[in-house]
Amino acid sequence: SIYMQFLIEAVFMGFTTAVEPIFSYHYGSGNVAMRKKVYKYSVQWCVLLGAVLIIVLFFLRGVITGIYFKPDTEFYRISMLGYMISLPACLFSGYNQFGSGLFTAFSNGIISGFLSLVRTFIVLIICLFLLTALFSRHGLWSAWPAAEFISFIITAVFLGKYRSKYKYA
C-alpha cells in the first residue's frame, strides 16, 4: 500500500510540477482567461488521472502485491485487503497536490505549505491514530483515503476562498 501511495504521489507531483509554471506565467502576465482555462483542464485531468489510476491499480493488484509477498500467504491476503481499502485515495490525492501547487505558482507559499502540512502530516496522523483505535487494521488501511478526503475538503475551501484574488475559476 505504501508503494502504491508513492506511485500515485509521483504521478500527481509530476502533473502539478508541469502546470505550476503555466499558472505562474499567466498570473504574471495578467492573462485571466488562460488561467481559468488551465485551471478547468487541470481539475479535469486530476479527476481523469485519479480514475485511471484506480482502474489500472485495481487490475494490477495481484501483480503488485505479488512482488512483495508470495500468493496464498497471510501477508499477501493482508496486503491485498489494505491495497483495496487504500485505492480510493487516488480520487482525492491529485486534487490535493494540485491545490497546493497552485498556491505555489501564485507565490503564496504560506497557503501552499499549510495545505501540504495539513494533508501529509496533521490530518494523516490524526486519521492513523483515530481510525486504528476505532477499527483496528481496517482503520489503519483506511487512514490514507480518509486523510485525502478530509484534505480534499480543506483544499476546496481554500481554492474557493482565493478564487477571486487569483482569478482562476
Side-chain angles (χ1 to χ4, degrees):
S1 177
I2 194 74
Y3 300 108
M4 176 178 62
Q5 183 178 359
F6 287 138
L7 171 70
I8 293 163
E9 296 292 322
V11 168
F12 286 121
M13 188 179 298
F15 171 77
T16 300
T17 302
V19 297
E20 281 177 11
I22 297 167
F23 278 104
S24 292
Y25 176 80
H26 292 298
Y27 180 60
S29 71
N31 190 340
V32 174
M34 191 54 104
R35 266 181 280 170
K36 289 181 179 186
K37 187 176 186 179
V38 175
Y39 178 82
K40 176 184 157 194
Y41 288 144
S42 295
V43 171
Q44 289 173 349
W45 270 105
C46 286
V47 171
L48 179 65
L49 282 173
V52 167
L53 281 169
I54 284 179
I55 293 166
V56 169
L57 291 171
F58 174 79
F59 285 110
L60 292 177
R61 67 191 182 279
V63 173
I64 293 171
T65 305
I67 292 170
Y68 303 101
F69 303 107
K70 293 183 184 203
D72 300 325
T73 65
E74 186 63 19
F75 286 122
Y76 182 85
R77 284 188 286 281
I78 292 169
S79 293
M80 285 293 283
L81 172 68
Y83 188 98
M84 294 305 293
I85 292 172
S86 298
L87 214 50
C90 296
L91 290 175
F92 309 108
S93 183
Y95 182 80
N96 294 336
Q97 276 193 27
F98 168 71
S100 178
L102 186 63
F103 287 108
T104 299
F106 294 140
S107 296
N108 192 335
I110 292 177
I111 300 299
S112 177
F114 173 77
L115 290 175
S116 291
L117 178 69
V118 165
R119 174 179 167 255
T120 60
F121 187 70
I122 296 170
V123 174
L124 182 58
I125 299 247
I126 291 169
C127 286
L128 280 168
F129 281 106
L130 183 63
L131 294 175
T132 302
L134 292 173
F135 304 109
S136 188
R137 82 173 153 195
H138 290 84
L140 175 69
W141 294 115
S142 63
W144 179 44
E148 288 292 349
F149 178 72
I150 292 166
S151 297
F152 171 80
I153 293 168
I154 295 167
T155 301
V157 167
F158 275 89
L159 286 172
K161 180 180 178 183
Y162 285 91
R163 179 182 316 148
S164 61
K165 179 178 181 178
Y166 297 116
K167 296 178 177 68
Y168 49 78

